[in-house]
Amino acid sequence: ENSIASIRAALALDVDAVEFDVHRTSDGKIVVLHDGTTRRVADRDVRVNETTFKELQSLRLKNGQKIPTFEDVLKLADSKPVYIDIKDDGCAEELLRILAKYPKAKVGFVSARARELEKIRELSPETPTYIYFLKARMIIPRPIKMVRIARQIRATGIAIDKLFLNPITYSLAMRSGLDMYTYSIGTATLARFLNIFYPRINFATGHPERLNKYFKPVS
């Protein structure tokens, strides 16, 4: 996951966009990795934001590859739309600095870190941003608060765990002009059910081939 091999495979699929995650090393380099540590995916366990980029590059993922940088993935994605989940504080300015070197890139940002998204909209007002709310910080996210925070940071949308999806949040978001997507939807049956009640919502999935049978049938 989040390796060059996995992102290349995802880009080859019939999807509207590809999502990946970024962290900041102790010396300010932006790298692509889901977790805050390398325990699950690499040959050694280190905490990314406490490790220099050089040290991180000495590790090998379980598929034999190195942990990629944000720039590595931008080069690979070219003009294919991507969504970047910001996992650490202090990433926004460096992400936009790198992004400025790739004018063909089509990028949106996602994060539970409101300040990072607010900074991105401040520096790049046209860039899409989506906020989500972690279970650990908000056991039952309150619809009014979710929408209020999204509007305060001028986010373009809300990303919401499928377990938290509800008609009140959806209705408030739509009335406020916010986009919404829900994650992670693993079956076409669930996607079809949700599409009835939330017709303007988008889906994040690890199994696009299943959802495409419903949303993109072969004629």
Side-chain angles (χ1 to χ4, degrees):
E1 61 181 40
N2 278 260
S3 68
I4 288 295
S6 68
I7 292 168
R8 181 177 285 116
L11 290 167
L13 298 174
D14 182 15
V15 294
D16 301 306
V18 171
E19 187 259 8
F20 57 88
D21 311 87
V22 295
H23 287 269
R24 186 178 184 272
T25 65
S26 63
D27 51 350
K29 194 79 170 178
I30 306 295
V31 295
V32 177
L33 196 72
H34 182 275
D35 297 351
T37 73
T38 60
R39 180 180 60 83
R40 287 192 308 110
V41 295
D43 56 2
R44 283 191 290 120
D45 181 17
V46 301
R47 180 161 292 280
V48 177
N49 60 18
E50 297 175 357
T51 306
T52 66
F53 177 67
K54 183 177 180 180
E55 291 173 307
L56 209 59
Q57 288 292 280
S58 69
L59 275 64
R60 285 295 177 272
L61 297 172
K62 291 180 180 178
N63 65 1
Q65 296 182 341
K66 292 182 180 181
I67 294 170
T69 65
F70 176 52
E71 198 157 0
D72 291 335
V73 176
L74 280 183
K75 290 175 184 176
L76 184 64
D78 194 37
S79 60
K80 181 78 174 184
V82 294
Y83 283 84
I84 299 110
D85 188 343
I86 304 171
K87 298 287 192 178
D88 280 338
D89 290 327
C91 292
E93 292 189 26
E94 179 64 7
L95 285 166
L96 291 176
R97 185 192 69 78
I98 295 169
L99 189 58
K101 295 159 47 176
Y102 296 88
K104 291 200 299 180
K106 296 176 183 176
V107 167
F109 291 97
V110 186
S111 187
R113 299 174 183 274
R115 284 292 301 135
E116 292 296 296
L117 297 180
E118 188 173 37
K119 175 62 77 172
I120 283 170
R121 291 287 284 176
E122 177 187 318
L123 298 174
S124 181
E126 301 304 313
T127 300
T129 57
Y130 291 76
I131 186 167
Y132 64 87
F133 299 84
L134 296 174
K135 297 183 185 73
R137 296 180 187 174
M138 191 182 291
I139 301 302
I140 303 176
R142 289 168 288 180
I144 293 174
K145 183 175 182 179
M146 293 171 73
V147 172
R148 186 180 74 244
I149 292 173
R151 294 183 65 183
Q152 283 175 348
I153 65 172
R154 296 187 296 129
T156 52
I158 293 173
I160 188 167
D161 188 313
K162 61 180 179 289
L163 300 176
F164 294 156
L165 188 57
N166 63 84
I168 298 174
T169 303
Y170 178 79
S171 177
L172 288 172
M174 295 301 105
R175 287 196 326 215
S176 298
L178 295 167
D179 295 327
M180 282 187 76
Y181 78 79
T182 186
Y183 57 91
S184 173
I185 308 302
T187 69
T189 300
L190 179 56
R192 187 161 53 241
F193 175 79
L194 293 175
N195 192 231
I196 294 170
F197 296 99
Y198 311 104
R200 291 167 58 189
I201 204 164
N202 293 303
F203 300 114
T205 180
H207 295 281
E209 74 287 354
R210 298 175 185 171
L211 273 61
N212 283 350
K213 290 179 181 178
Y214 173 65
F215 290 104
K216 299 180 180 181
V218 177
S219 57

